[in-house]
């Protein structure tokens, strides 16, 4: 019997205080669930076969760190609220002759019970949710997907480790709090309001600096590959910064409101402002948590829906026509006008003999080199680059092809060029190739020949329209990369639509026809690649579809966490305020006034997290745009649209949740009265 | 002029599980004149708190009438009760009932804020009251930072600031030590001498002897009353003790 004394005391304590423990356990379970699901997605093979899977896995792995930091901070705050309520009981215990050691043992068992309950609950929820998610995924993908239904032991292990550590820290914190306070201060602690942090302004300034630094990182990042790492550094900075700013801000805000006597001493502000001030730190932490989750939801859903719904535009950028043919050559002979005409005629003949004639056809020849941009000089040896962001692809296209395809009538003198840059910008008036030619830029182009290769490539491409391709080639032929291999590639692109466009088997036979018939070699081409838009479309939709699906799951998880937090906030504050509103009723406050003051309180806290989340999104926009380039998504207007829609939809959802939970709060607050 | 007339007041509590009924008040009749200071005494469970709750319109009687300053409480609409209470009554409770979210000053302002008064007016009302109650120094503190006696004085200030027709106090000295109690009673006497009507429920003979009249409640009825008249506090103390002894031994008072 004796062995179970402390566990039983702890269990009793939890049962007696279940109104505060239950929301806490639910919140913990929600965090565990969220963490498990992310770990599961990061470690499982749900993504194994898809393109971009490695990137996604990296995102999830880093995301799990974000969730960890977030859970740690948030649970610390909710626990401190719990402790505040429990301290009174501990004060009583210690007056009744219980030592601090005994109380620590009760605390230990309490933490164990809460931890076991919430981790088990969270894992069950996480496993069920992830299985459901997988099932949905398999259904969407059809049989082709080979996603196994599995429980990730690694994810479970990591979850246990992380939350074990968090609960240990919580316990340590609680024990220290009890250890360093007297019985009397324990007894009184519940009625004492929160003290503002000692150096509030310092916290606030540091928070603002962190946010500013994170924003700066996000806005100045150039290279998509670097963007991923910077992105997560920025996310962690934003989380911590948001907490600091919100806590310091809500303290300062409450003070300011209380100082403004004309505002403060109004019937519907008086009560709400004072109770906000009373729990200003917790309020700030709660708002920060909601804000962060809101931001996560928005970022996830905006970017994945942009990918999914923008899929068609990605595909048409990447594959401008139904059939996209790329021929490479070793020498310039192949790219002569005659040879070009001959090979196109051969292709047309092949197509015509089986399907209708090619439609919307266009072709262009090009020379391509890569290198690093240093001022206005291209350095072929990319090992000399200071940053990966300076790497460029340079395309040379003959004026005749440009004029033909675009229907223009441009003219160029030798040494002159027209320039089209697909991303970033190039400001200088001349562009020279180190060890090669230099070009004076006559004009900058706004529109250019559709080129699948440049839209696929993450590197920015500089497209130079030159008067004479042959002359340009002479200046480039000697260039070599750091291995000493020749840098220059010569190609002919021939793109066209066909009608009907479901003649895949026939079209796929085109490269074989060109080499089997000997035409390819005879005209001087070395290789031929063919990409059919129909073929690729299916792949793209399955990839972006699964990304979108995962995005929805992630957003749901974040939403659940946000709802839990809002619910927790309302419930816990409701119980706290019960006796307060009872007193106010005795002093002469009507039900209507109570309702109104509650609404005013909710309204004040309603817009803050949303506004801050919107601000985060604005600054996250450039960096996410860079990340989307990793998936060939380069349509900024479309991304802006999905972001806007996501923000709107979220605001509506948020309003609904707040409305519902505020009723919970009202019922909790007024519950006692109705009974009398 | 009577400020409060109570006649034939009856209150029956039916317990939650149906069945049992408790008749807390049977037939209570009394009147309180403008400017009086009345104490109500009685054994535990005799219905004092019940009576006070009905007077405060916190609870509705089963039968009988309460007329406050010419207005029958029954005619006050449910929606107007809170405002009525706020405008006409002041409360002092045994457990102070200060809100720990407010400073002492804001606690005192609460009823006025609810009534929509401006800060300037509230402040000008507070200054003389705070001076009389000796709480100027603690106005900016929070309730958990001050002593029980100080809390009760703050509660008195809150009750007085609306300039109510009647102050109702339920065992206001119950949670105070004797020095704080004396102080509070002295305050009550002083406030009363300025014309404030006070109705106080108390178990303390000493508290009761500071009042001008003591009502004794037994078995849900007003059983007896003593006027102080020209007697000193000590003489009053003696009279009350004698009556309580009689009450306890079940004897009759002529
Ligand atoms: N809400 C209630 N429901 C049922 N019975 C009640 C209720 N409130 C009080 N009673 C009963 O009514 C009677 C009078 O109670 P009341 O609280 O008025 O006594 P009191 O004179 O204030 O006692 P004390 O001096 O101990 O405070 C008691 O028998 C009590 O049990
Ligand atoms: Mg009582």
């Amino acid at each position: 019997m004796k062995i179970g004394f402390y566990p039983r005391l702890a269990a009793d304590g939890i049962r007696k205080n279940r109104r505060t423990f239950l929301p806490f356990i639910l919140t913990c379970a929600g965090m565990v669930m969220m963490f498990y699901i992310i770990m599961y997605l990061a470690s499982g093979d749900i993504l194994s076969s898809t393109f971009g899977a490695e990137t996604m896995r990296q995102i999830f792995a880093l995301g799990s760190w974000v969730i960890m930091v977030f859970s740690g901070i948030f649970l610390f705050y909710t626990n401190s609220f719990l402790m505040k309520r429990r301290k009174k009981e501990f004060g009583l215990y210690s007056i009744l002759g219980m030592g601090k050691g005994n109380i620590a043992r009760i605390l230990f068992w309490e933490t164990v019970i809460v931890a076991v309950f919430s981790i088990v609950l969270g894992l069950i929820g996480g496993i069920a949710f992830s299985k459901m998610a997988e099932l949905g995924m398999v259904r969407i993908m059809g049989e082709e997907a080979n996603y196994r239904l599995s429980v990730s032991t690694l994810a479970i292990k990591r979850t246990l480790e992380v939350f074990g550590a968090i609960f240990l820290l919580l316990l340590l914190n609680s024990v220290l709090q009890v250890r360093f306070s007297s019985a009397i201060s324990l007894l009184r602690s519940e009625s004492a309001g929160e003290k503002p942090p000692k150096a509030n302004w310092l916290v606030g300034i540091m928070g603002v600096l962190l946010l500013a630094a994170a924003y700066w990182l996000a806005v100045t990042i150039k290279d998509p590959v670097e963007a991923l790492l910077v992105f997560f550094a920025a996310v962690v900075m934003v989380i911590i910064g948001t907490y600091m700013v919100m806590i310091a801000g809500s303290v300062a805000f409450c003070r300011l409101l209380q100082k403004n006597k004309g505002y403060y001493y109004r019937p519907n502000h008086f009560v709400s402002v004072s109770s906000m001030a009373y729990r200003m730190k917790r309020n700030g932490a709660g708002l920060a948590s909601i804000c962060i989750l809101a931001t996560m939801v928005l970022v996830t859903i905006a970017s994945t829906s942009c990918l999914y719904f923008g899929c068609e535009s990605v595909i048409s950028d990447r594959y401008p026509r139904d059939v996209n043919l790329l021929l490479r050559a070793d020498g310039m002979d192949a790219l002569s006008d005659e040879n070009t005409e001959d090979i196109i005629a051969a292709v047309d003949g092949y197509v015509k003999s089986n399907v209708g004639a090619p439609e919307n056809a266009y072709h262009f020849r090009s020379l391509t080199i890569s290198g690093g941009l240093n001022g206005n000089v291209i350095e072929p040896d990319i090992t000399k680059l200071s940053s990966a962001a300076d790497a460029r692809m340079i395309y040379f296209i003959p004026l005749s092809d440009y004029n033909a395809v675009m229907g223009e009538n441009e003219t160029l003198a030798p040494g002159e060029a027209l320039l089209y840059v697909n991303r970033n910008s190039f400001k200088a008036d001349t562009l020279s190739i180190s060890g090669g030619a230099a070009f004076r830029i006559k004009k900058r182009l706004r529109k250019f020949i559709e080129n699948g290769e440049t839209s696929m490539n993450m590197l920015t491409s500089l497209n130079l329209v030159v008067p004479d391709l042959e002359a340009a080639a002479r200046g480039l032929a000697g260039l070599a990369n750091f291995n000493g291999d020749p840098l220059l590639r010569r190609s002919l692109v021939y793109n066209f639509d066909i009608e009907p466009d479901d003649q895949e088997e026939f079209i796929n036979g085109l490269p074989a026809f060109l080499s089997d018939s000997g035409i390819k070699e005879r005209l001087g081409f070395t290789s031929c690649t063919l990409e059919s838009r129909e073929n690729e479309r299916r792949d793209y939709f399955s990839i972006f579809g699964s990304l979108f699906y995962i995005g929805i799951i992630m957003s749901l998880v974040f939403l659940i966490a946000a709802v839990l937090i809002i619910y927790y906030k309302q419930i816990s504050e409701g119980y706290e305020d019960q006796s307060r509103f009872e007193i106010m009723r005795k002093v002469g406050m009507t039900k209507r006034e109570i309702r109104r003051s509650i609404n005013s309180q909710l309204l004040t806290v309603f817009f803050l997290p949303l506004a801050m989340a919107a601000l985060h999104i604005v600054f996250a926009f450039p960096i996410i745009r860079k990340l989307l380039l990793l998936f060939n998504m380069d349509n900024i207007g479309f991304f802006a649209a999905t972001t806007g829609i996501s923000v709107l939809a979220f605001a509506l959802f948020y309003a609904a949740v707040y409305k519902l939970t505020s009723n919970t709060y009202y019922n909790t607050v007024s519950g006692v009265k109705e009974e009398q | 002029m009577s400020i409060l007339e109570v006649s034939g007041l009856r209150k029956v509590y039916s317990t939650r599980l149906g069945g049992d009924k408790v008749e807390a008040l049977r037939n209570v009749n009394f009147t309180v004149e403008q400017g009086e200071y009345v104490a109500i005494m009685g054994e535990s469970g005799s219905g004092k708190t019940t009576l006070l709750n009905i007077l405060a319109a916190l609870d509705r009687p089963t039968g009988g009438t309460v007329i406050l300053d010419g207005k029958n409480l029954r005619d006050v609409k449910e929606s107007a009760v809170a405002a009525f209470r706020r405008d006409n009554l002041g409360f002092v409770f045994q457990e102070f009932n200060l809100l720990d979210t407010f400073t002492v000053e804001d606690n005192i302002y609460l009823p006025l804020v609810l009534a929509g008064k401006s800060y300037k007016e509230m402040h000008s009302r507070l200054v003389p009251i705070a001076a009389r109650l000796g709480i100027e120094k603690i106005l900016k503190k929070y309730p958990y930072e001050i002593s029980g006696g100080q809390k009760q004085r703050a509660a008195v200030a809150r009750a007085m600031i609306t300039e109510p027709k009647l102050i109702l106090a339920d065992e206001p000295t119950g949670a105070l030590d004797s020095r704080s109690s004396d102080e509070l009673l002295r305050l009550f006497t002083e406030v009363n001498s300025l014309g404030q009507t006070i109705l106080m429920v108390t178990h303390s003979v000493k508290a009761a002897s500071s009042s001008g009249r003591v009502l004794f409640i037994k078995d849900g009825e007003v059983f007896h009353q003593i006027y102080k008249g020209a007697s000193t506090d000590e003489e009053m103390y003696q009279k009350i003790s004698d009556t309580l002894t009689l009450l306890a031994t079940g004897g009759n008072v002529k």
Side-chain angles (χ1 to χ4, degrees), chain B residues 197-240:
Chain B
T197 317
I198 301 174
L199 188 65
M200 167 177 75
V201 163
T202 184
H203 279 291
S204 151
V205 179
K206 194 162 176 199
S209 60
S210 73
S211 71
R213 172 157 66 114
V214 184
L215 296 174
F216 295 90
I217 292 193
K218 192 180 179 185
D219 302 328
E221 286 182 42
V222 177
F223 173 80
H224 185 59
Q225 59 176 333
I226 303 176
Y227 280 92
K228 189 176 197 176
S231 345
T232 61
D233 278 8
E234 286 72 27
E235 288 162 359
M236 187 70 174
Y237 190 100
Q238 200 51 52
K239 278 197 227 171
I240 296 168

Side-chain angles (χ1 to χ4, degrees), chain A residues 188 190-193 195 258 261 264-267 270-271 274-275 278 579-580 583-590 593 675, chain B residues 16 58 79 82-83 85-86 91 93 95 97-102 105-106 109-111 113-114 116-117 119 122 144 158:
Chain A
R188 280 193 184 168
E190 198 185 347
S191 54
K195 296 209 176 57
Q258 282 186 317
K261 299 204 155 59
Y264 178 47
Y265 291 105
R266 301 260 46 90
F270 192 50
V271 177
S274 74
S275 51
Y278 181 71
S579 54
R580 239 166 256 147
I583 295 175
M584 284 187 250
R585 199 178 67 99
K586 280 187 185 160
V587 174
M589 196 169 183
T590 61
E593 282 165 336
E675 283 169 24
Chain B
R16 205 181 270 268
L58 284 167
S79 56
R85 198 183 299 143
R86 186 167 75 206
F91 299 93
F93 308 91
E95 61 278 20
N97 278 353
L98 295 179
L99 289 160
D100 40 25
T101 48
F102 288 117
E105 180 175 5
D106 290 349
Y109 288 153
L110 183 60
V113 172
L114 294 177
K117 295 279 187 286
Y119 176 76
M122 295 192 295
Y144 67 92
R158 182 177 65 189

